[in-house]
Each structure stands twice: as structure tokens, then as C-alpha cells.
Amino acid sequence: MHLLDVRTKRLKKYVSEKKGEVAERYGILSHRWLSRKDEILFQDVEFADYALLKRKRGFFKLASCCKQARRDGLKYVWIDSCCINRMDSTEVQESINSMYRWYANADRCYVYLKDTVKPNSGRLSLNEKEDWFKRGWTLQELMAPEEVLFFDRDWYFIGDKTSLKRDISSITGIAQSVLEGTRKLEECSIAERMSWASGRNTRKDEDRAYSLLGLFDVNMPMLYGEGEVKAFLRLQEEIIKVSDDHSIFAWKGLSGAHGLLATSPEAFRGCNSVREPSQHQGQSAFSMTNRGFSITLNLTPWVLDTYVVLIHCTDIRGGGVQMLGIFLRRLTEDDQYARVSVDGEEFYRYTTDKAHKPSVGSRVIPIYIRQARIGTIEASVAGKRRWVAQERIFTFEPGWGTWLPVGVLELFGYGKIKLVKLGFDYGFNPTLLLCESTLESESDFSTDSLSREGARGNKSVWKSSSGERLYWNPVEYDYGGFSGNTARAIAKENSHLGVWALKGDRINGLDIYLQGTGIRVVLAKTLTKRRELVWDLKLENLATSRLLK
């Protein structure tokens, strides 16, 4: 760390720190840079003639800062433009990782607002036109020091962080309680702190992430050239190493299928009302791995292949308190998921009394979520449970339980089968119940999970009206008359006479013949004309049917 002597305007170089603090008391300047040719730089202070320095536009704020520090009884000041040797990349990295600490340890911070003029009379009102409020680096310069003093373009004192808290809060979205110090920075959720960085810009894209290191008390190397997205992802990966705050997942602006982490501070715009719970009891650890983001969550089935997950944070916007849930789509690999929106909604909002009860039908499952954008898959759902006769598509409302008994077909004018029931288990594997009597319509679903392994076993998700479990119909494969390894699956009758219980796979569906009936049942995923992913049910050799419910 180099300090500038307020009398001589020369540097006191390599000031030693002990336990993160320097022995000297110093002031620190927060300002907006002019062009490099107008600023007083490290080499200027080291080698230039004092008379030459005075010709630069940036000399006024440097001299004013030094003069103010002398009035306040300080011998030194730190100014980023002239106290960092930017020709030394190692020193730049060290400075960026230390800067929040340097601002926090300063005796006081002087903020120079070059676009603000103190009125001759009346109250000064700060506004968003002041460029200082739009820059990324000035956020930590506002938050780190305990005492922050503001000066206008002519270096007239206009107030401190506490006296100007109303205007500053209105411009930045930072709560007045945080500005005045009655609420500590560490008491603010990750999402709330990230929201303060939205709308701010930096000259280098990567600095949007690097300028936030101190705000979250983390460190990482600077890799200029990696781009904003990679830099911001690295920042979040460092944050989750020291924090289990789920509000880091409460970002907005979802497009297609995505990972759990945001790609820019802009995704947290408007999240200043998100709060972290005071207790994290029962909350599992999470981390980034080579298979993606590893986390154990409580998943509740919501709509085909998609679950709602309660994240441990609240939103107090509007005066109420709501818990937030996000939607995760299960991908081809059984343990891989992606974040999606459902019906255009990015969050499901729980009332607090409901959220603290165990979610019906939910299970705690370890999963992986890849950060790379998966594609443009969306949960294809409709707002109301209904049958569209022209398209022959049945849709249902999102929510636990609606995906279990999806629909019932009552059949007329054809042999044995009178009723077909379609449903899904917890893992969204399709199941069918074909009944020779309409009385079996009273049969219900259990919520037993059907994994791919379970689908090959004999674990049924069906039960009869009396509560008895229904065993799956045994399946045999007939290779006769077929080329290669192609085989025809044939369901044989089981002990439940008059009932055919068929199971499928969430990826491959099912294609099976019912022994002795001449009926072929095919259930497969397909795309509609509107590019919606749906399950398509076909029963060959049937005459007429209609939807019963």
C-alpha cells in the first residue's frame, strides 16, 4: 500500500500492514476518473515536476482532498489514481483484493461529486444524474467506510452518509438502516447486496464482478479477458464457499433452461427486498463440482418433468413475508436438472405458515445442476385443467397431485377394455391402468417413486379401490418375425383379473401389446405444432372413445 503525503504530494511507499491495518491514520478519496491524460497517475507523482501536475484537470480534486485531510488532522491520503502502480499487474491484483479493506480502515472517506453543485439556498437533492452513483467501484467505496463525507464539484461540503441517507437510498436501493449503520452489511442477504450492483457500470466488463469482492468478503485472481459472465460466475463460486445463503438463487430474468447461478448483477435488479432467514437449521451444504452444481433440495412434483423447490429466503416486498420457490426441470440424466420458468413464472411464492409445513408429496434428493445454458426447453403447461377436443390435448394446472390422475378415457363399442387411466409417479414416469369394468375408476394412485431401476422391478404405483397394491403385468419379449434385436413387448395377464397395470419410462415411454386382446398401447413424448412437449397416447384397434374426466 502506498500513501500520499498531504503536504509534499509525494508517496510514502510500501506502507506495512499488521493484522490488516496500517499504523498511519489516513483519509481516502472516492471519485470518478477523468480521462487518463487528465488524471494524476502513479508515475506523475513519482517523477513529474510539481508545476506540471498543477496543469492537469485532476489536480484540483487531489489538492482539495489533501487540504481537507490536513484540516481533519490527517497526514496521508490514499487515492486510487495515483497510489496504485498500474504498470505492475501484481500490484493491481493485490490492490483490487485489498481495496475494500483499505476503504474500511480509512479514518474517513471523501466523496467528490463532479456533477453536483451545492445550491446557494434551500436543500440539496442528490439525483441519479450524478455519475458517481452509476459506477461499479463506488459501491464498495460507499459501503466500506464508517464515515463518508460528500463534496460538490467546487469542494463544498454537502453532507455525510447519514444525513444524506434518504437521497442515497432512493438512488441506490440501499436501505436507510444499512446506510446509517443500524443494520450491518453481513445481515443483508446475498441477493440484497447483489441488487445494489445492478444498474452500475465499469470500464472493463470483468470489473462488474471484481468490484464486488469486498462486499462479500471473498478473494480471487483477476483474469482480464475472461469476460463478465465467467468473472461473475467465479465470484459466486467463491461466495458459496463461505456462505449457504439460498438468496443467491433468487435472481430474475430467466431465459430458457439455466443453471442455478446468475450471469450478471443485473439478474438481481429489484431483489433488495429478499431476506436471508436467521436460522439455517437442516439446510444442506452445496458446491460446484465437475458434474455441475451439487445440492440436496426438497423437490415437489409440479408439472411434467418439473419440480418446485423451496429456497430458504423470504421476500418482504409489499409488507408481507413470502417464501420463494424456483422450478427445476429434470433432464435426460436422472440426477441432472435445469432451472426453468413455468407458465411464464420464475418463482412460486409460499405464505410463511404454509412454507413451514412439510410439503405434501415432496422428497429430499441430491441433484446436480449444470451451469452452462442447456437450451430453450420450457415447461409446457396451461393455466386451467381442460380438454381441447380439436387438438385432442388434455392439460392440467401445475401443482402437487394434478399430475397423478391426469385423465380417464371411457371406451365404447369395443370388447374387453372399458376404461383407461393415465398417470405419473413421483419421477414423472408414465403409468397406465386399463380396466375391463368402469367400476375400477375408483382406483387411486399411490406416490411410490418409480426410478428406471424400479420400472424394471415390480413396484407398483397403483392401488385398487380397497387399497390393495396392484402388481405390474409381467412383460415378455417376442423376437419372432422381427429383424435384428428388435422385439415386441407383450403384457401378460396377472393375478388382478380384469386389470392391466402398465409401466413406462419417463424418457422412452412404453410400447406394449396386451396378450389375447389385439390391443397395442403406445405412449411417447412428441412435439405439437406450437413446439410444446407432450405425451402422446395411442391405442390401436379401438373404435371410439371419449374423455370421462
Side-chain angles (χ1 to χ4, degrees):
M1 184 182 191
H2 312 308
L3 293 176
L4 186 69
D5 189 304
V6 298
R7 293 182 179 275
T8 65
K9 309 296 189 297
R10 295 299 182 188
L11 290 174
K12 181 178 181 180
K13 300 177 69 176
Y14 306 110
V15 179
S16 60
E17 293 183 85
K18 293 183 179 180
K19 296 182 179 180
E21 296 185 7
V22 298
E24 304 288 353
R25 291 175 60 219
Y26 62 94
I28 202 163
L29 178 66
S30 176
H31 65 114
R32 280 290 296 118
W33 275 50
L34 304 170
S35 66
R36 293 185 69 87
K37 66 180 180 64
D38 290 325
E39 284 290 351
I40 309 296
L41 304 178
F42 181 88
Q43 284 72 24
D44 296 330
V45 175
E46 278 281 271
F47 307 112
D49 183 87
Y50 186 76
L52 295 177
L53 295 182
K54 296 178 67 175
R55 298 178 186 175
K56 287 197 169 190
R57 289 178 57 203
F59 183 80
F60 171 75
K61 59 185 174 182
L62 181 146
S64 298
C65 178
C66 290
K67 186 177 180 180
Q68 185 66 47
R70 289 178 62 185
R71 289 199 195 105
D72 295 336
L74 302 175
K75 296 180 179 179
Y76 301 98
V77 292
W78 187 89
I79 303 174
D80 62 346
S81 53
C82 65
C83 292
I84 300 175
N85 182 6
R86 298 180 185 275
M87 303 296 289
D88 185 338
S89 60
T90 301
E91 182 171 323
V92 171
Q93 291 228 21
E94 180 184 350
S95 298
I96 291 176
N97 276 285
S98 306
M99 203 172 295
Y100 188 91
R101 183 177 74 252
W102 292 347
Y103 273 90
N105 290 339
D107 189 83
R108 62 199 62 194
C109 175
Y110 306 114
V111 177
Y112 177 60
L113 302 180
K114 66 180 180 61
D115 299 321
T116 299
V117 179
K118 183 178 182 180
N120 293 326
S121 61
R123 178 182 177 274
L124 169 72
S125 179
L126 297 176
N127 60 68
E128 295 180 355
K129 294 181 180 179
E130 174 57 59
D131 194 34
W132 186 86
F133 291 107
K134 301 176 183 178
R135 308 306 295 177
W137 289 106
T138 56
L139 174 59
Q140 68 173 1
E141 296 164 12
L142 170 66
M143 301 305 299
E146 183 175 343
E147 186 173 3
V148 182
L149 309 175
F150 290 83
F151 297 83
D152 76 351
R153 72 179 185 187
D154 298 316
W155 202 268
Y156 288 116
F157 177 66
I158 55 180
D160 61 20
K161 183 163 60 172
T162 301
S163 65
L164 297 172
K165 63 183 179 181
R166 182 181 300 178
D167 286 348
I168 298 173
S169 177
S170 176
I171 296 170
T172 63
I174 303 171
Q176 294 185 36
S177 58
V178 178
L179 293 170
E180 66 187 7
T182 56
R183 186 163 156 245
K184 302 299 182 184
L185 180 65
E186 55 269 22
E187 296 173 2
C188 301
S189 71
I190 291 174
E192 183 179 7
R193 280 179 268 179
M194 287 291 189
S195 73
W196 305 336
S198 65
R200 291 176 177 263
N201 300 303
T202 55
R203 188 173 65 86
K204 293 183 178 180
D205 292 341
E206 296 87 352
D207 282 339
R208 294 202 71 189
Y210 302 160
S211 63
L212 301 177
L213 291 174
L215 210 61
F216 297 98
D217 195 21
V218 296
N219 299 97
M220 67 184 198
M222 310 298 106
L223 301 176
Y224 286 107
E226 67 176 326
E228 178 185 342
V229 173
K230 286 186 177 180
F232 191 63
L233 289 175
R234 284 203 302 125
L235 169 66
Q236 293 171 93
E237 289 174 14
E238 292 300 320
I239 292 172
I240 65 175
K241 290 178 182 178
V242 297
S243 173
D244 63 351
D245 178 7
H246 277 199
S247 75
I248 198 171
F249 311 134
W251 51 272
K252 306 174 184 178
L254 187 64
S255 175
H258 206 284
L260 269 186
L261 301 180
T263 56
S264 168
E266 291 307 307
F268 291 92
R269 185 183 293 271
C271 291
N272 55 341
S273 59
V274 176
R275 299 290 184 265
E276 179 185 11
S278 56
Q279 295 182 346
H280 293 195
Q281 186 175 359
Q283 192 165 303
S284 64
F286 46 86
S287 63
M288 186 63 74
T289 73
N290 59 2
R291 294 204 68 228
F293 201 98
S294 174
I295 188 170
T296 298
L297 293 170
N298 197 335
L299 277 63
T300 302
W302 202 247
V303 64
L304 288 182
D305 293 328
T306 304
Y307 301 81
V308 66
V309 176
L310 178 68
I311 55 177
H312 297 281
C313 56
T314 58
D315 191 344
I316 63 171
R317 189 176 302 279
V321 179
Q322 293 182 322
M323 299 290 286
L324 297 177
I326 58 175
F327 300 104
L328 296 180
R329 167 71 68 88
R330 195 178 186 188
L331 303 179
T332 304
E333 297 177 79
D334 282 346
D335 61 353
Q336 288 283 350
Y337 293 73
R339 186 179 170 188
V340 296
S341 60
V342 170
D343 245 358
E345 296 293 332
E346 298 181 79
F347 296 103
Y348 179 77
R349 298 178 181 272
Y350 297 72
T351 57
T352 52
D353 55 346
K354 177 181 177 183
H356 289 123
K357 298 177 182 178
S359 299
V360 179
S362 67
R363 297 180 184 179
V364 177
I365 297 176
I367 63 174
Y368 293 95
I369 305 169
R370 293 198 185 278
Q371 184 55 41
R373 189 165 181 232
I374 310 301
T376 57
I377 62 171
E378 286 292 334
S380 54
V381 299
K384 299 293 182 181
R385 185 181 178 97
R386 69 181 186 273
W387 168 251
V388 182
Q390 297 86 347
E391 300 181 20
R392 301 185 68 79
I393 293 179
F394 184 77
T395 59
F396 54 96
E397 294 181 11
W400 183 86
T402 61
W403 48 271
L404 288 170
V406 172
V408 179
L409 282 172
E410 186 175 348
L411 309 178
F412 296 93
Y414 185 84
K416 284 186 171 183
I417 306 302
K418 306 296 183 183
L419 199 75
V420 178
K421 298 187 69 175
L422 171 65
F424 296 86
D425 70 350
Y426 175 85
F428 292 111
N429 299 284
T431 62
L432 280 173
L433 196 67
L434 294 92
C435 308
E436 296 180 11
S437 168
T438 56
L439 295 178
E440 286 295 341
S441 65
E442 298 302 318
S443 298
D444 202 356
F445 292 86
S446 76
T447 56
D448 289 345
S449 177
L450 183 63
S451 64
R452 290 190 184 184
E453 291 73 20
R456 289 190 287 267
N458 200 25
K459 188 174 183 181
S460 177
V461 297
W462 295 92
K463 61 183 180 181
S464 67
S465 54
S466 63
E468 179 187 3
R469 297 288 181 186
L470 301 180
Y471 290 101
W472 300 116
N473 288 73
V475 177
E476 292 185 354
Y477 293 90
D478 179 12
Y479 290 89
F482 297 93
S483 61
N485 294 323
T486 304
R488 182 172 64 172
I490 301 175
K492 306 186 72 174
E493 289 198 58
N494 60 20
S495 59
H496 306 289
L497 298 179
V499 177
W500 300 80
L502 308 179
K503 55 192 173 183
D505 178 83
R506 69 181 185 91
I507 303 297
N508 301 316
L510 62 86
D511 185 346
I512 199 165
Y513 290 84
L514 307 185
Q515 186 181 47
T517 67
I519 298 174
R520 180 189 181 193
V521 181
V522 179
L523 186 62
K525 285 183 177 178
T526 186
L527 288 173
T528 66
K529 294 180 180 179
R530 294 195 296 268
R531 305 294 297 172
E532 294 173 323
L533 186 64
V534 298
W535 280 101
D536 185 21
L537 173 63
K538 296 178 182 178
L539 289 86
E540 293 184 358
N541 299 328
L542 295 182
T544 58
S545 63
R546 67 176 174 83
L547 187 72
L548 180 63
K549 64 178 180 179

